[in-house]
Amino acid sequence: MARITVEREHSLGKAGARAKADTLAQKLKDKYGVESSWSGDTLNLKRSGVEGTVQVFDDSLRIDVKLGLLMSAMSGTLKSEIEKALDKALA
């Protein structure tokens, strides 16, 4: 099982960052069928072979993703895509 962790600082405040996380979660649902739910300031993400969280802080976001066996082979590509999507969302 592979793990991906990506952290980015932001100046959006917690509410702004939560809104960006919601937008990103909707895109993931539309494109990949990823389900999401909030638990406090943590957005939980789940799909077959992928499980993760987006933790929202006042000045940063942290994404942790666990990949199942089949998805592990694509971990480098997925990390790149996560970084690109997060940078775009926070821009």
Side-chain angles (χ1 to χ4, degrees), residues 13-24:
K14 193 177 280 188
R18 280 180 66 109
K20 295 286 187 176
D22 272 332
T23 301
L24 187 57

Side-chain angles (χ1 to χ4, degrees), residues 56-68:
V56 179
F57 304 102
D58 291 329
D59 59 357
S60 65
L61 283 175
R62 177 186 171 106
I63 298 177
D64 289 301
V65 179
K66 289 185 266 183
L67 302 174

Side-chain angles (χ1 to χ4, degrees), residues 13-81:
K14 193 177 280 188
R18 280 180 66 109
K20 295 286 187 176
D22 272 332
T23 301
L24 187 57
Q26 186 59 50
K27 288 179 183 178
L28 290 171
K29 181 177 183 174
D30 294 344
K31 193 168 183 178
Y32 301 109
V34 176
E35 295 298 323
S36 63
S37 64
W38 284 100
S39 176
D41 289 325
T42 300
L43 181 62
N44 299 296
L45 305 169
K46 189 162 177 82
R47 179 187 172 240
S48 178
V50 180
E51 192 173 305
T53 59
V54 179
Q55 294 175 293
V56 179
F57 304 102
D58 291 329
D59 59 357
S60 65
L61 283 175
R62 177 186 171 106
I63 298 177
D64 289 301
V65 179
K66 289 185 266 183
L67 302 174
L69 187 60
L70 294 175
M71 298 296 284
S72 291
M74 299 175 50
S75 64
T77 302
L78 290 172
K79 183 175 183 178
S80 241
E81 290 297 317

